[in-house]
Amino acid sequence: MTLSFRPEILWSDALLFLLLAALAVFAWQVGRHEHLREPWRRVGRSRMGMGAAVLLAAYALVGILDSLHFRPALPAEPGQPVHYAAEVHSVLDTLVGPLRTQVEETYSAPLALHLYAKETMELPDGRQVRDFPRLKFGGAHLAGVEARAGDIAGHIGMGLLAGGVASALALGLALVFVGLGAGPQGPSGSPGHLGITGAWSALSRSSSLAGLRAGLIVLCLLLLLAAAVIQLAPHYHILGTDKVGQDVFYLSLKSVRTGLLIGTLTTLIMLPLALFLGVAAGYYGGRADDAIQYLYTTLNSIPGVLLIASAVLVAQVYIETHPELFDTAAARSDLRLVFLCLILGMTSWTGLARLLRGETLKLREMDYIQAARAFGISHLRILGRHILPNVAHLVLIAVVIDFSGLVLAEAVLSYVGVGVDPVTASWGNMINGARLELAREPIVWWQLAAAFVFMFALVLPANLFADSVREAFDPRAGGQA
Amino acid sequence: MAMNGGLSVRGLRVAIHHEGGDRAMRPVDGVDFEVAPGECVVLLGESGCGKSLTALALMRLLPDGLELAGGQARLGDTDLFALPEQDMRRVRGGRLAMIFQEPMLSLNPVLTVGQQIGEALEAHRHPTAEQAAAETSRLLQAVGLEDRHGTSYPFQLSGGQRQRALIATMLAGEPELLIADEPTTALDVTVQAQILRLLKQLRSERGMGLLLITHDLDVARDMADRVVVMYAGQVVEVASREALYARPFHPYTRKLFSVLPSAHQRHERLEHIPGSVPPLGTVFTGCRFAERCALAWERCHAEAPDSQTLDDGHVARCHLVSAPRPENAAGAGYPPETGRKTAEAEQVAAELLEVTDLAVHFPIRKGLLRRTVGQVKAVDGVSLSLKRGETLALVGESGCGKTTLAKAVLRLIEPTSGSVRLEGTTLDRLDGNALRVARASMQIVFQDPFASLNPRMRVGEILEEGLRSLRPELHRGHRADVVAGLLEKVGLGRDAALRYPHAFSGGQRQRIAIARALAVEPRLLICDEPTSALDVSVQAQILSLLQDLQAGQGLGYLFITHNLPVVGYLAHRVAVMYRGRIVEEGVAQDLMGRPLHPYTNLLLDSAPGRGLPEVAAAPAGRPEAGVGCSFAARCPMAVAECAQAAPDTSTLAGGRRVACHRVVPE
Ligand SMILES: Nc1ncnc2c1ncn2[C@@H]1O[C@H](COP(=O)(O)OP(=O)(O)OP(=O)(O)O)[C@@H](O)[C@H]1O
Ligand code: SF4
Ligand code: SF4
Ligand SMILES: [Mg+2]
C-alpha cells in the first residue's frame, strides 16, 4: 500500500509545531492554576480582546493549513517505485485548488475579464488587432462584460446565504454554550437551566458576556465574508493578478504563513535567550550581571538593520554555494525564512532581557525569596518556583506586543531586499513587486492594496489583543494578579 | 451650622463606579464633621475605613473609578463641591492644603525645594521676586529647615526633612485648613515626634484648622482637640480628646483601646476584636459593627443606629446611647478575655543563640570598574544572647541595621566577621548540608505580609516548601497532615491550604507566614516588625498567637520592632541599637522604666502618647565618619571625651549593659 503523497516537514513547520505544542502545554498549565486563569478570564470578558482574538484565530488557521506540507506522488508504472513530485504543496494549496493553478499571462485588475496589457491578437477571420485579450480563467464562463455584474451579485448572494447559515449555526452553538452555564460565569452564577430565552437575554445583555458577544459578531461577519469569497474566487481573480499572472488573493493567503512565522518563530528563538540571560543577570548579579549587561549594550549599539542585512547575505551565499543540501526549492527558501527568524531573534532579545533583569533584581530581594533561602532551597528551585512564575506575565505581554512589530519588520526587510527569499510569498515581497509598477499609467494598485489590507487586518487585531492582554495582566487594573 | 471659616462636612458619600450597578459600593457613606479654625481634629480608624478617601473627596482629588455620591462640604462660606474646577484649583493648595504619607511622591524630584515653594507662592499670592525669596526663607524657617535646604533637591533630604519641605510648600498658600494624611507613618518615632510638634505649633501660630488622619491612638492623644472615629465608611463616635480617652463610649472605640498592648498588660491576654472589617459592598441591615460587637443584641442586627448626642458632648452612632442594653439579651457582654493570664514559657537556662562581635560591612562601589571606595558598617560588632523561651526585643531607628543583623544571623547575608552560635553549634563555617540542617532551627517572619508570600503558589505549597527541603524524610501524606496541623495551630482552617495568598487579609497572611516558619520546627524565630503593617486589632491577635506558640513550644524570639508599647508588653529583654551597635541592653521593665543611655531616653520620650515633650536633641544627620561615640552629634549629654573615643560597653547591676562614657558602673 503506497500513499498518494508524502508528508514533508520543513524546518519552519517543525518549529511551528513545537511552538503549538508549547502553547498547548501553557494552556494546560493555565487551566490548572486559578491565579493564571483569572487574567485570561478578564481577556475573555474584554470586547476588544475577543473580537481581535477571532480575527487572529482566522489568520492562525490559514497559517497552520499552509504549514501542513506534502509532495504528491507522480503517476507511476505499476511495479515501479513511486516517485514524488519535486514541488511541495500544502493543505491550503489543495483547498484553494483553482486559485493556484489558474495563472494568467500578466496583470489583470480585480474582478476583471480582460488582461491589463494590450496584445496583438488574431481574429477568427485572420485580421490582427491590438486589444485587451480576455483572461484565460477570470470570468471565462461569461459571454461578455455585460453579464458580469449580475453574475457577481448572484455569487455574492449565494455566499451571503451560506454565510448566514453558518453564522446562525455559530450563534446556536453559543446559545447552547451559555445556556448550559459553561460560558464564562453565567450571570446567575449557577450553571445550567437557563433555557433558550434566558440564554438569549444573557448573551445579548449580560456585561460578563460582552467579550463572547463581540467575538460572535466578528465571527459572523467573517463567516459572511469568507462564504462570499469562496463563491466568487473560483470564477474571478477577486484581487487581480500580478506580473506573472498569479492570483493576488492566493499570494496574500500564502503570505499569511510567512507573516505569522516571522512573528512567532522569532519569539521562540528570542525567548530562551532573553529569559535565561535576563533572569541570570538579575538573580546572580555580580560578574554574571556585568558580562550580560556588557553583551546587550554592545549588541544594542550596532544598528539592527546592518546586522540583519549582513547575516542574511552570509546565509544567502551559503545556501547558494551548497545547493546539494536541499532537495526542493521550498526547502531552500524555507531555510532562509528560518534563518531570518533566527537573526531577528538574536537581535531582539535585549529589550526583554533588560526588563527581566530589572524585575528579577527586584524580586530577588522580596521577602518570600529570602524566606525560601532561609529554608536552604537551591538556586535553581528558587528560579523555577519563585522567579519564573512571577515574571511570566511580563514575558507574555512582551511577546504579544512584539508580534506585530515583527510582522511589520518582515515587510520592511523584504522590501529592502534582505528579508525572505524572493520566491517566498510574503507581504514584503508583494509590496516590493508593486513598487516597480507604481509609476505605470494607469496605476497597478491592487497588489499593494491587498498586501496592505491583509497586513493591517493582522497587525491591528494583534495590537488590540496585546492591549487587552496587558490590561488583564496589569496588577493595577483591579484584582490581585 | 456654618461657621466663620472652618470646615463643615455633611453627609459625604463616595461611590465606586460599578459596571453592573446592582450593588452600591460606598467606601465613604455619610460622613459628618466640623473643623473649627485653629482646631485639630483627628480622623481615626483602621485601614480601609475610608479616612483617606474622605480627605481626597474634600480636595476633589478622588482617584479614577471613584466619584462623589452626595454630601456637602463648606470651607468658610464656600461650597467646595459646587465650585467650578477652575476655582477649585485656586482653593487647593491655597485655602485648603493637604500633605501625604509619602512626601517623596508629592514633591517633584527635579525641582529644588525652594523652587517648589516659589511655585506655590506664585500660584496663590503672586509676590514680587524679592517678596518671594523672603517668604520662602520665612517658610523654611517656620518648618525648621535652613535656607540652604531651599537649594536642595528632594532626594538630598532625609525623610523627615522632606516632610518638612512638603509642609512648607503647603503653607505657602496660607491655608485655612491643612489636611495631613498619616504624615508620619513612614517616619521614625524620633522624627515623627518632631513633625507632630511642628504641626501643632504651626496650627496655634497661624490659627489654621488641622485635620489629621491617623490609625494611631497615641498620635491622636498627643494631637487632637477632637477625635472623629470612623468605621466602615461612617463616623461612629465624635468626642473631645479628654472625653474620649477618659470614657470612650462606642463599643468599637472601647475595643480599640483595649487591644492596644502596653507594659501594664504584661502577662495578661490582650483582648480581641473578633472577625474583621466588613468588605466593601457588604449590605448592612443593622449596625455596621454588629457582627463584631460584644454588646450587640437583636435590635442592633435589625435597625441601623443614628448618630446621637450624649450629655457630655459625645456623639456616638450606637443604640446604647438612647436605650440601655436589655437585661435578658443574649451574648456575653464585656469582658470576655481581659485579665486572663497568659501562659509563660519556661525559660530554660540553656542559651539558644549567642552572637559575638558580629559585623556586616557592605562595600560601597563607585565608578566604571566598581572599585570599593568605602564601607557601610550596617552591623558593627554586635553581641547578643537569647535563652530558650525568651523574647529579646531589638529596637532602633530605621536604617540602624536591625534587619541586616537578623539576616546575618540567618546567614542570608554573609557576615564580615564575628560568630553565631545556635544551641552550642557554631554556624560560621557551616555550609552545604550542615547549614541546611542548622537552618531548620531558626526561621524568620517578615514585616510586609504582602511581600512575604509568593502570590503564585497555593498556601499549601508555600507551607510544604520548607518541609520538602529541610525534612525530606516526610512522605507526601504525612506532609499534608503537617500542613493542616500548622494551619490549625495559627488559627486558619485546613481548607486554607488550597487557596492563594491574595484571598487572605494582611493579618491572615501574617499567620500563614508564621505557619511557614514553624513548619520546620525551629527553636529560634526572628520576627522583623511582624505587626507594623497591621491594624491594631489584628496586631493583638498576632501577638497573642506568638505568645501561645512560645508557651507551647519554648520558642525563642528575636523581636525586631519600633513599637515601644509592644516591647513593654511582650519582651523579656530589650536591646537598643544605634548605627550598627547595641548601645544599651537589659531586662525590659527595668530598661523601659529607667533608661540610662541618652539614645534610649530619646527613643522613649519620642514615643507617641506621651504628650510630645520637648526633647533636647539635634535632628538625625548624615553619618559622620570618625572616632568617638556615633551618637555624639545628637547627644544632649555629650562631653569632650565623647568625640575622641568610642565608649566601651560596661555591665551594670542587674545585667544591664550600656555603651556610654557618662554611664559608669557604680
Ligand atoms: N545590600 C546592601 N548594600 C548596601 N547597603 C545596605 C544593604 N542593605 C542594607 N544596607 C544599609 O545598611 C544599613 C542598615 O540597614 P537595615 O535594613 O539593616 O536597617 P533596619 O534597621 O532594618 O531599618 P528599618 O527599620 O528601616 O527596617 C542602612 O544604612 C542600609 O542603607
Ligand atoms: S448599635 Fe449595637 S452593635 Fe452597634 S455598636 Fe452599638 S451595641 Fe454594638
Ligand atoms: S558616649 Fe557621650 S555622646 Fe555617646 S551617648 Fe554617651 S554621653 Fe552621649
Ligand atoms: Mg528592617
Side-chain angles (χ1 to χ4, degrees):
Chain A
M1 155 93 211
T2 51
L3 288 170
S4 62
F5 64 88
R6 188 171 82 185
E8 178 89 8
I9 298 183
L10 300 175
W11 269 104
S12 56
D13 299 340
L15 290 173
L16 184 70
F17 295 139
L18 189 68
L19 188 76
L20 287 177
L23 270 182
V25 171
F26 177 70
W28 178 68
Q29 276 286 334
V30 167
R32 262 174 19 125
H33 292 280
E34 218 273 313
H35 63 84
L36 295 175
R37 242 185 357 246
E38 184 47 38
W40 285 110
R41 276 214 200 97
R42 280 205 287 276
V43 175
R45 280 197 291 268
S46 126
R47 266 170 296 171
M48 209 76 100
M50 285 306 278
V54 169
L55 263 179
L56 291 179
Y59 269 91
L61 183 70
V62 172
I64 291 172
L65 286 179
D66 201 12
S67 298
L68 300 168
H69 285 110
F70 62 89
R71 286 159 73 179
L74 293 173
E77 309 288 313
Q80 294 280 313
V82 196
H83 286 284
Y84 295 94
E87 223 178 324
V88 178
H89 294 293
S90 74
V91 171
L92 184 78
D93 293 333
T94 319
L95 285 179
V96 302
L99 285 188
R100 181 170 60 85
T101 48
Q102 296 178 348
V103 178
E104 308 289 350
E105 296 277 314
T106 181
Y107 290 115
S108 71
L111 298 172
L113 298 189
H114 295 94
L115 267 190
Y116 204 58
K118 280 190 178 166
E119 268 179 27
T120 314
M121 287 181 296
E122 199 163 308
L123 293 181
D125 57 6
R127 278 185 307 131
Q128 293 203 328
V129 291
R130 267 188 79 73
D131 197 3
F132 299 105
R134 277 293 293 264
L135 295 180
K136 276 187 271 176
F137 303 101
H141 60 294
L142 297 180
V145 181
E146 313 75 48
R148 185 173 66 168
D151 187 56
I152 291 178
H155 282 304
I156 290 183
M158 283 296 294
L160 291 184
L161 205 65
V165 172
S167 302
L169 224 64
L171 203 64
L173 275 178
L175 277 179
V176 172
F177 181 69
V178 172
L180 291 180
Q185 284 163 7
S188 62
S190 67
H193 337 303
L194 269 178
I196 196 76
T197 43
W200 172 253
S201 70
L203 188 60
S204 54
R205 251 172 262 129
S206 160
S207 65
S208 64
L209 294 179
L212 184 63
R213 202 155 55 226
L216 263 180
I217 293 172
V218 175
L219 181 67
C220 291
L221 291 178
L222 207 61
L223 283 174
L224 289 173
L225 182 70
V229 166
I230 288 172
Q231 281 294 318
L232 213 50
H235 308 292
Y236 296 93
H237 298 293
I238 53 174
L239 294 177
T241 55
D242 72 354
K243 184 168 189 166
V244 292
Q246 289 197 70
D247 189 287
V248 171
F249 179 58
Y250 172 69
L251 284 180
S252 306
L253 279 184
K254 293 290 280 182
S255 302
V256 168
R257 171 172 188 267
T258 313
L260 287 181
L261 279 184
I262 299 264
T264 52
L265 288 193
T266 305
T267 305
L268 195 68
I269 288 152
M270 167 265 264
L271 212 55
L273 272 176
L275 259 180
F276 178 76
L277 293 176
V279 168
Y283 186 76
Y284 290 105
R287 294 263 173 274
D289 188 20
D290 290 347
I292 292 167
Q293 278 198 69
Y294 178 77
L295 184 67
Y296 68 58
T297 318
T298 314
L299 253 178
N300 261 355
S301 50
I302 305 173
V305 179
L306 276 189
L307 206 64
I308 294 168
S310 52
V312 166
L313 288 179
V314 169
Q316 198 172 335
V317 169
Y318 176 81
I319 290 171
E320 266 158 26
T321 49
H322 297 81
E324 71 281 1
L325 292 179
F326 312 100
D327 46 355
T328 59
R332 204 170 60 217
S333 51
D334 181 73
L335 194 73
R336 181 152 164 195
L337 177 67
V338 170
F339 194 80
L340 184 66
C341 293
L342 192 75
I343 189 69
L344 275 174
M346 297 294 263
T347 50
S348 63
W349 60 269
T350 52
L352 181 58
R354 190 184 297 223
L355 195 70
L356 288 177
R357 171 180 174 271
E359 187 67 15
T360 310
L361 218 53
K362 200 174 82 198
L363 285 177
R364 186 179 67 168
E365 296 303 322
M366 288 295 269
D367 289 342
Y368 58 82
I369 306 245
Q370 298 290 331
R373 288 184 50 209
F375 287 130
I377 290 169
S378 70
H379 289 313
L380 271 185
R381 260 191 95 76
I382 291 184
L383 283 175
R385 283 179 69 95
H386 294 284
I387 306 262
L388 276 188
N390 282 297
V391 297
H393 66 289
L394 284 183
V395 174
L396 186 81
I397 293 171
V399 164
V400 183
I401 290 179
D402 281 354
F403 172 80
S404 48
L406 288 167
V407 172
L408 295 176
E410 183 276 329
V412 173
L413 291 174
S414 300
Y415 179 82
V416 186
V418 294
V420 295
D421 196 272
V423 305
T424 308
S426 91
W427 294 313
N429 280 341
M430 284 169 69
I431 295 173
N432 194 20
R435 172 181 61 133
L436 302 170
E437 308 299 338
L438 278 180
R440 207 180 158 115
E441 194 49 52
I443 189 171
V444 175
W445 52 269
W446 48 89
Q447 216 175 340
L448 192 68
F452 178 75
V453 167
F454 267 78
M455 208 150 56
F456 182 72
L458 174 62
V459 168
L460 181 70
N463 281 340
L464 291 179
F465 188 69
D467 267 353
S468 69
V469 166
R470 187 178 44 202
E471 222 152 79
F473 280 83
D474 190 342
R476 277 165 308 177
Q480 288 279 324
Chain B
M1 52 189 317
M3 288 171 273
N4 287 335
L7 174 80
S8 130
V9 180
R10 285 275 154 270
L12 179 68
R13 286 192 164 74
V14 174
I16 297 182
H17 286 302
H18 189 57
E19 253 189 50
D22 32 3
R23 257 189 323 167
M25 304 245 249
R26 295 219 201 89
V28 178
D29 198 9
V31 163
D32 312 308
F33 63 90
E34 281 98 34
V35 185
E39 187 188 29
C40 174
V41 172
V42 168
L43 209 53
L44 185 78
E46 292 185 287
S47 70
C49 71
K51 309 182 291 284
S52 295
L53 287 182
T54 303
L56 291 173
L58 292 177
M59 298 291 287
R60 302 226 328 236
L61 286 175
L62 284 172
D64 286 346
L66 290 166
E67 63 184 1
L68 200 64
Q72 211 192 23
R74 305 187 74 83
L75 182 64
D77 39 21
T78 317
D79 186 346
L80 289 178
F81 298 159
L83 282 185
E85 177 58 28
Q86 203 179 350
D87 297 342
M88 186 63 204
R89 224 171 292 150
R90 264 205 308 281
V91 171
R92 227 180 268 141
R95 298 173 57 196
L96 183 63
M98 178 162 178
I99 55 181
F100 297 90
Q101 176 169 352
E102 187 32 78
M104 203 56 193
L105 297 180
S106 331
L107 289 171
N108 186 340
V110 299
L111 294 181
T112 65
V113 170
Q115 282 169 327
Q116 302 193 40
I117 297 177
E119 234 176 33
L121 284 172
E122 179 60 34
H124 298 288
R125 297 189 2 218
H126 318 292
T128 63
E130 297 93 76
Q131 280 172 341
E135 185 62 21
T136 302
S137 121
R138 204 178 63 80
L139 284 170
L140 284 172
Q141 254 169 31
V143 297
L145 291 177
E146 292 163 35
D147 275 351
R148 67 186 163 91
H149 289 125
T151 55
S152 309
Y153 289 94
F155 72 89
Q156 294 169 319
L157 303 176
S158 72
Q161 287 171 329
R162 270 182 223 144
Q163 198 59 282
R164 284 166 192 265
L166 183 61
I167 295 174
T169 59
M170 287 305 158
L171 293 179
E174 307 213 299
E176 289 162 38
L177 179 76
L178 181 66
I179 303 177
D181 187 359
E182 307 258 6
T184 56
T185 309
L187 304 173
D188 275 318
V189 276
T190 48
V191 188
Q192 161 170 300
Q194 295 163 13
I195 296 289
L196 292 178
R197 265 200 302 279
L198 171 67
L199 284 175
K200 215 170 178 177
Q201 171 206 340
L202 289 171
R203 173 187 62 117
S204 47
E205 278 172 16
R206 305 185 159 231
M208 68 178 180
L210 180 61
L211 178 62
L212 179 73
I213 297 177
T214 182
H215 65 272
D216 191 327
L217 286 146
D218 289 323
V219 168
R221 171 180 295 196
D222 287 341
M223 298 293 291
D225 296 318
R226 247 160 7 104
V227 183
V228 176
V229 185
M230 281 185 74
Y231 182 78
Q234 290 188 327
V235 172
V236 295
E237 181 161 10
V238 182
S240 68
R241 181 191 57 194
E242 294 76 21
L244 189 84
Y245 282 82
R247 291 174 310 280
F249 182 85
H250 195 279
Y252 173 63
T253 321
R254 281 193 252 169
K255 273 288 189 188
L256 275 187
F257 282 110
S258 66
V259 296
L260 272 191
S262 72
H264 316 297
Q265 281 165 300
R266 229 184 142 76
H267 308 311
E268 283 174 20
R269 190 162 263 285
L270 286 176
E271 259 195 67
H272 288 186
I273 305 184
S276 56
V277 180
L280 265 184
T282 312
V283 180
F284 301 99
T285 44
C287 173
R288 300 194 168 196
F289 187 56
E291 293 304 319
R292 306 172 71 188
C293 182
L295 298 178
W297 74 99
E298 296 82 8
R299 184 174 169 202
C300 304
H301 292 281
E303 184 190 337
D306 284 327
S307 287
Q308 300 168 70
T309 312
L310 278 91
D311 328 328
D312 62 348
H314 255 84
V315 176
R317 190 185 280 274
C318 174
H319 289 311
L320 288 175
V321 178
S322 50
R325 190 166 189 274
E327 294 287 317
N328 53 357
Y334 275 130
E337 297 220 57
T338 0
R340 238 180 69 199
K341 294 274 179 253
T342 49
E344 270 286 294
E346 228 177 290
Q347 286 180 26
V348 189
E351 294 289 338
L352 175 61
L353 174 74
E354 275 172 276
V355 177
T356 322
D357 289 331
L358 192 72
V360 181
H361 298 178
F362 293 110
I364 305 172
R365 292 181 204 279
K366 279 230 176 82
L368 202 59
L369 298 174
R370 306 293 197 94
R371 264 180 314 134
T372 306
V373 296
Q375 284 178 328
V376 179
K377 299 186 173 176
V379 176
D380 193 13
V382 165
S383 302
L384 284 177
S385 66
L386 181 65
K387 297 193 186 65
R388 292 200 60 175
E390 188 184 40
T391 303
L392 171 65
L394 187 62
V395 297
E397 286 164 316
S398 165
C400 72
K402 307 182 296 284
T403 303
T404 309
L405 172 62
K407 288 187 176 168
V409 168
L410 291 169
R411 284 282 296 276
L412 293 177
I413 296 177
E414 283 302 316
T416 313
S417 65
S419 79
V420 177
R421 281 165 72 84
L422 188 70
E423 300 187 303
T425 325
T426 309
L427 302 183
D428 310 331
R429 275 175 244 313
L430 292 187
D431 51 8
N433 213 32
L435 181 61
R436 266 237 319 276
V437 173
R439 279 196 158 140
S441 351
M442 47 182 192
Q443 280 301 316
I444 182 162
V445 175
F446 293 97
Q447 169 174 11
D448 181 358
F450 290 87
S452 63
L453 304 177
N454 185 343
R456 311 282 175 197
M457 282 163 78
R458 284 175 211 274
V459 169
E461 293 169 323
I462 289 172
L463 296 187
E464 277 186 19
E465 187 165 45
L467 289 179
R468 270 177 216 271
S469 166
L470 296 180
R471 291 167 69 190
E473 74 283 359
L474 290 184
H475 60 78
R476 182 184 277 263
H478 195 174
R479 252 196 332 251
D481 288 345
V482 173
V483 166
L486 284 169
L487 284 172
E488 248 144 52
K489 197 185 278 181
V490 297
L492 295 169
R494 32 176 80 213
D495 55 335
L498 297 177
R499 294 195 278 159
Y500 287 92
H502 66 77
F504 296 91
S505 69
Q508 288 172 321
R509 282 164 171 243
Q510 205 59 303
R511 288 168 188 267
I512 296 168
I514 292 174
R516 169 177 63 189
L518 293 180
V520 294
E521 300 189 346
R523 257 84 68 205
L524 168 67
L525 193 60
I526 300 182
C527 305
D528 190 356
E529 314 236 13
T531 59
S532 66
L534 305 176
D535 277 327
V536 281
S537 62
V538 184
Q539 163 173 295
Q541 297 168 4
I542 297 289
L543 292 182
S544 302
L545 172 64
L546 287 174
Q547 274 181 323
D548 290 345
L549 292 172
Q550 183 167 58
Q553 306 181 2
L555 285 174
Y557 290 141
L558 179 58
F559 198 93
I560 300 175
T561 181
H562 61 260
N563 187 330
L564 294 172
V566 170
V567 175
Y569 172 69
L570 198 66
H572 301 108
R573 284 188 306 127
V574 185
V576 182
M577 195 166 177
Y578 185 74
R579 293 235 177 114
R581 298 201 181 165
I582 304 290
V583 294
E584 181 164 10
E585 193 213 314
V587 176
Q589 279 142 308
D590 181 29
L591 184 144
M592 310 260 304
R594 196 173 54 92
L596 293 179
H597 195 282
Y599 178 63
T600 316
N601 253 315
L602 174 65
L603 272 188
L604 291 176
D605 284 343
S606 306
R610 302 192 174 202
L612 304 171
E614 198 64 46
V615 260
R622 298 282 98 196
E624 72 288 345
V627 288
C629 175
S630 55
F631 188 57
R634 297 169 69 186
C635 182
M637 287 164 59
V639 289
E641 193 188 359
C642 302
Q644 283 143 23
D648 290 327
T649 304
S650 40
T651 307
L652 280 65
R656 180 87 69 96
R657 298 193 305 149
V658 186
C660 173
H661 290 304
R662 299 285 302 267
V663 181
V664 277
E666 54 278 349

